[in-house]
Amino acid sequence: MEKLYIGAAYYPELWDENEIDNDIMRCKQLGINTLRVGEFAWAKMEPEEGVFDFGWLTKVVDKLYENGIYTVMCTPTATPPRWLFNKYPETRKVMEDLIRADVSSRQHSCKTSEILREKTRVIVTEMAKAFAKRKGIIGWQIDNELFPYNEGCYCENCKNAFRKRLKQKFGSVDKLNQSWGMMRWSLCYSDFNEIEPPYPKQWRHPSLRKEWWNFQCRQIKLYVDEQAEILHSYGCKNVGTDMMAHNYLSYYDVNENLDTVQFNHYNPAGELADTAFSYDFLRCVKDKPFWVTETQVGWNGSEYADCGYRPAGNCYINTFLPIAKGGEMNLYWLFRAPKNGQEMAHGALYSTAGRLYRVSEEVKRACADLEKCEKFLTGSTVKSKIAIHFSSTAENSLSAAPLVKDIEYRSLILKNYYSALRHYNVDVIDTPHSLDGYEVLISPFLATADENGLKERVCDWVKNGGTWIVGPMSDIMNGDVSKYTHSPFGFLEELAGVYTKYQKPIDNNVFKARWTNDGECFVSVCFDAYECREGTKSLAHYIEGEFAPLSVITERKVGKGKLILVGSVISHGDLLRLVNRSPVAEAGDNVILVERSGRENGIIAVEAENRNGYIVLDGEYKDLITDRRLSGRYEIAPYEALVLEKLK
């Protein structure tokens, strides 16, 4: 990472051409150096089929660059023009009610349509010809917030492609019936052509639902890969696609052939810890700095404002946090509030009349402070010895068949595990990720553990000295959302050296547990009870209820490492007891800490909850924002950020 980029989404097609000079002046007023353009402008780029006009956008890019402002160029494929839909109506997606989507918003096209794919290739190719070598363009964004909205498209092309995909995977319909357990309720198919998508508002089979979702996600990946291949063939750099906070559409799959992970979030003011979780995940997908391509400035909105107004200081911290966590870009949506349309109530850096908001002044302050720290931030990275699994397969499997009522996978991981580690450097990883360099791996609710070679890799990693804290509800089903019949687990029971006597997926506050050595062990949500085999010891056991005195946490040495099997959701303190590692520093629970190392070394501390906090430093540091020297205990003000360079 050589430079930091702060800016916003900009839509010059919506404004008079003469406004560009005023907007450049506004960029300089705030200190922002990057604008993202083009994502919804297909109709202006290709006003009629085969007729292209990029001159207006070329002038914008050139003028921005002449004034020291970089451009992220977007392909406009989220909003094909009306002439395309009118001439080729089969390109419009079919909703779950089997009615074609209206041309009234965005993301209403079918990604399986060969005509849409052809027209997409044409516009992307013409854009690459026009802009690949243009000075000032630092990266590319493919489409906008791709996702299987409304669980995808239900057109005949999608249905047939889905059936073909199932035939390729299973080979025979008998094997599909067996894998999904379709004999139950006499649901067996006699031919692949009988298979219909799982329509909403019906009691849908979990295996069918997940397979349909996987298919729709695969169509999106193919769609992205086609665009990326074109852009790369013309020499375009930093190609990515902006995605949202969840992992239902797998980040690892979609970004496989892309260069830069891009992320959009609209978390309200009180959810900075949520965004920190996302950043620790994004950083790992490509093991390089990520880009925040959209976040709200003051408030979210459509026809009305939403998500609340950011209190004083929050926008400053929202600008700072992604950079602290290893990102190199933070762009706001949007530069200037639109004068009409579905999102006219959305917040922006500038009002429709071109006037600053209070939060915009915070962006200006953040730009100035980040510039003071740029050498430190670009000369250091985030290195972690602890990792937490956040699996796309688990997210989708537990959505189709949660087993425990009202659980939400991402929320469970964030609140019960990640939040305990806000004073540690921690990587959030999916199952394809390498385990090299980690000392501790935490894998709760990893419903499918035998995928992407993880079973073999994690066993070798533990044998070579790693500590694997796994469970609850991990390794309990395969990729087809089917439970195992030989054991409650695929392989964990044997590896952990236990016999699972009971499993209870209902939390009614009956069970209590205690550490074998001392103290209460908090348990909740779901409950496994284990008998320990030879070589396995009990770390905590039930003391009340029908499971007493069976174990709820066990430990077994495996080679040079150990496997800790956890049968329930435990408290933050209990989790840290198992992790058994020192934090970056002692700090208040409202303070997020990041240790940075490389050419530069030090700590970043961010107060995330708008209240007083503290940090206790183990030596002397220089705060690069204020130029103060700090040591010992320091009281952190609400929404204050410290960039602390360690002094020798």
Side-chain angles (χ1 to χ4, degrees):
M1 182 165 62
E2 298 178 356
K3 190 170 182 61
L4 303 178
Y5 303 96
I6 308 296
Y10 184 53
Y11 301 93
E13 68 270 21
L14 303 182
W15 303 94
D16 188 280
E17 187 176 342
N18 295 327
E19 279 293 291
I20 181 65
D21 292 326
N22 293 329
D23 289 335
I24 287 173
M25 178 186 67
R26 293 179 178 113
C27 288
K28 292 180 177 180
Q29 181 183 15
L30 293 182
I32 65 175
N33 61 5
T34 306
L35 293 178
R36 185 169 61 100
V37 302
E39 64 181 349
F40 302 134
W42 191 339
K44 188 158 186 176
M45 295 177 184
E46 190 181 5
E48 56 184 285
E49 187 172 12
V51 178
F52 301 96
D53 178 11
F54 299 110
W56 63 276
L57 190 52
T58 299
K59 292 178 183 177
V60 172
V61 171
D62 290 348
K63 188 164 281 192
L64 291 175
Y65 183 63
E66 290 166 5
N67 285 273
I69 301 167
Y70 300 101
T71 296
V72 175
M73 182 61 68
C74 307
T75 67
T77 51
T79 54
R82 193 174 293 274
W83 63 255
L84 191 154
F85 287 123
N86 288 341
K87 185 173 182 179
Y88 308 104
E90 62 269 40
T91 59
R92 287 160 48 200
K93 71 182 290 186
V94 172
M95 308 299 284
E96 66 272 15
D97 57 7
L98 302 185
I99 296 174
R100 289 204 180 270
D102 293 332
V103 184
S104 60
S105 177
R106 63 191 189 196
Q107 291 297 1
H108 36 234
S109 60
C110 170
K111 303 301 184 289
T112 302
S113 166
E114 286 300 326
I115 295 175
L116 178 85
R117 299 276 277 270
E118 176 192 345
K119 295 304 176 185
T120 293
R121 289 191 291 269
V122 169
I123 188 64
V124 174
T125 299
E126 293 300 321
M127 286 192 73
K129 290 177 182 177
F131 295 105
K133 306 301 182 184
R134 210 87 201 168
K135 290 182 179 180
I137 296 178
I138 58 172
W140 289 74
Q141 172 192 304
I142 292 173
D143 210 270
N144 173 256
E145 294 180 357
L146 285 159
F147 192 71
Y149 297 101
N150 304 110
E151 301 197 23
C153 174
Y154 295 82
C155 74
E156 290 303 314
N157 285 334
C158 281
K159 291 179 185 179
N160 290 330
F162 176 55
R163 293 163 186 148
K164 182 179 179 180
R165 178 70 177 164
L166 292 176
K167 189 172 183 178
Q168 290 172 341
K169 177 178 178 178
F170 292 101
S172 71
V173 74
D174 289 340
K175 187 173 181 182
L176 182 149
N177 287 329
Q178 183 179 9
S179 297
W180 290 3
M182 301 304 281
M183 182 58 73
R184 185 174 186 272
W185 291 356
S186 299
L187 295 174
C188 292
Y189 300 108
S190 60
D191 189 276
F192 282 104
N193 289 328
E194 291 182 344
I195 300 174
E196 287 289 315
Y199 296 103
K201 299 181 181 178
Q202 298 184 30
W203 194 357
R204 298 171 291 173
H205 193 290
S207 300
L208 173 63
R209 183 181 177 191
K210 181 169 181 287
E211 200 66 59
W212 173 253
W213 185 265
N214 289 347
F215 164 74
Q216 291 289 334
C217 290
R218 180 176 179 272
Q219 298 307 92
I220 289 174
K221 173 177 166 50
L222 293 174
Y223 178 77
V224 169
D225 285 349
E226 280 188 355
Q227 294 197 37
E229 184 178 4
I230 294 168
L231 295 173
H232 285 145
S233 71
Y234 283 89
C236 300
K237 307 295 185 184
N238 290 324
V239 176
T241 186
D242 57 331
M243 299 173 67
M244 301 295 281
H246 39 68
N247 199 20
Y248 292 110
L249 176 63
S250 168
Y251 266 82
Y252 280 67
D253 285 349
V254 172
N255 283 280
E256 180 184 11
N257 298 315
L258 304 181
D259 311 315
T260 302
V261 178
Q262 300 174 359
F263 175 63
N264 295 357
H265 81 88
Y266 288 88
N267 292 327
E271 296 183 9
L272 286 171
D274 188 310
T275 56
F277 172 84
S278 295
Y279 300 150
D280 282 333
F281 175 64
L282 299 167
R283 188 181 62 246
C284 303
V285 176
K286 302 294 283 188
D287 285 328
K288 62 180 291 188
F290 58 88
W291 290 2
V292 174
T293 33
E294 289 185 25
T295 183
Q296 68 195 70
V297 192
W299 57 87
N300 197 355
S302 52
E303 293 87 358
Y304 54 86
D306 197 10
C307 290
Y309 188 54
R310 292 189 180 274
N314 188 275
C315 189
Y316 172 85
I317 289 297
N318 193 43
T319 310
F320 218 98
L321 188 57
I323 308 301
K325 284 288 189 178
E328 65 179 356
M329 179 181 291
N330 191 74
L331 304 183
Y332 281 101
W333 206 87
L334 70 165
F335 181 78
R336 189 171 176 182
K339 56 187 176 182
N340 42 38
Q342 285 97 323
E343 294 176 308
M344 62 188 298
H346 204 292
L349 287 172
Y350 285 89
S351 72
T352 309
R355 298 178 183 178
L356 278 176
Y357 293 105
R358 188 268 301 163
V359 287
S360 309
E361 297 287 354
E362 292 185 20
V363 174
K364 180 178 182 179
R365 178 163 65 94
C367 288
D369 286 351
L370 286 167
E371 186 175 1
K372 297 175 187 175
C373 312
E374 190 166 40
K375 180 175 178 290
F376 175 88
L377 293 166
T378 57
S380 62
T381 57
V382 183
K383 298 294 183 184
S384 305
K385 297 292 185 182
I386 302 170
I388 299 176
H389 268 135
F390 176 48
S391 159
S392 179
T393 299
E395 189 156 30
N396 287 312
S397 294
L398 294 176
S399 175
L403 303 184
V404 176
K405 185 179 180 181
D406 295 331
I407 69 166
E408 200 280 312
Y409 172 71
R410 185 179 187 276
S411 179
L412 276 171
I413 301 298
L414 196 159
K415 294 178 180 178
N416 293 288
Y417 300 91
Y418 176 81
S419 292
L421 296 160
R422 63 175 53 185
H423 298 156
Y424 296 75
N425 279 13
V426 58
D427 286 352
V428 180
I429 62 173
D430 205 337
T431 55
H433 198 87
S434 170
L435 303 179
D436 294 345
Y438 297 122
E439 296 177 354
V440 177
L441 176 64
I442 306 169
S443 305
F445 296 91
L446 185 65
T448 302
D450 191 3
E451 65 167 2
N452 298 309
L454 178 63
K455 175 183 174 181
E456 294 74 21
R457 290 187 292 113
V458 77
C459 288
D460 288 342
W461 175 80
V462 174
K463 290 175 183 176
N464 287 318
T467 296
W468 191 21
I469 303 169
V470 57
M473 287 181 62
S474 296
D475 189 37
I476 58 171
M477 62 177 71
N478 64 23
D480 291 322
V481 200
S482 293
K483 294 193 286 187
Y484 298 104
T485 57
H486 68 282
S487 164
F489 302 101
F491 65 93
L492 266 182
E493 190 172 53
E494 180 180 358
L495 188 64
V498 301
Y499 177 79
T500 308
K501 193 164 185 180
Y502 302 110
Q503 287 185 317
K504 184 166 180 276
I506 298 174
D507 185 4
N508 57 1
N509 299 317
V510 169
F511 298 104
K512 296 185 183 300
R514 186 174 182 83
W515 289 95
T516 300
N517 291 333
D518 65 271
E520 179 184 3
C521 179
F522 177 82
V523 290
S524 66
V525 180
C526 55
F527 307 90
D528 286 0
Y530 309 117
E531 291 178 350
C532 294
R533 301 306 196 199
E534 184 177 353
T536 301
K537 64 180 180 180
S538 176
L539 298 184
H541 59 275
Y542 294 101
I543 57 172
E544 292 184 18
E546 61 192 276
F547 291 177
L550 296 171
S551 298
V552 65
I553 304 176
T554 67
E555 177 183 301
R556 185 189 185 202
K557 289 186 177 180
V558 180
K560 298 177 182 178
K562 58 185 176 182
L563 187 151
I564 298 174
L565 183 62
V566 183
S568 186
V569 175
I570 57 179
S571 70
H572 286 184
D574 291 335
L575 177 64
L576 292 177
R577 179 172 180 163
L578 297 177
V579 170
N580 194 27
R581 295 296 189 279
S582 298
V584 171
E586 178 188 344
D589 62 5
N590 56 322
V591 177
I592 296 172
L593 299 181
V594 185
E595 185 175 23
R596 304 281 297 230
S597 58
R599 297 194 310 269
E600 311 288 335
N601 295 278
I603 299 171
I604 300 176
V606 173
E607 197 291 307
E609 298 179 8
N610 200 20
R611 57 190 176 92
N612 292 323
Y614 73 91
I615 183 172
V616 179
L617 301 171
D618 62 353
E620 190 172 17
Y621 292 79
K622 179 183 179 182
D623 178 20
L624 298 177
I625 297 176
T626 63
D627 211 30
R628 298 169 299 179
R629 290 184 177 238
L630 305 177
S631 61
R633 183 182 174 103
Y634 174 80
E635 301 297 323
I636 301 178
Y639 290 146
E640 182 178 9
L642 304 172
V643 180
L644 302 170
E645 181 182 34
K646 190 171 181 64
L647 300 176
K648 298 179 180 179

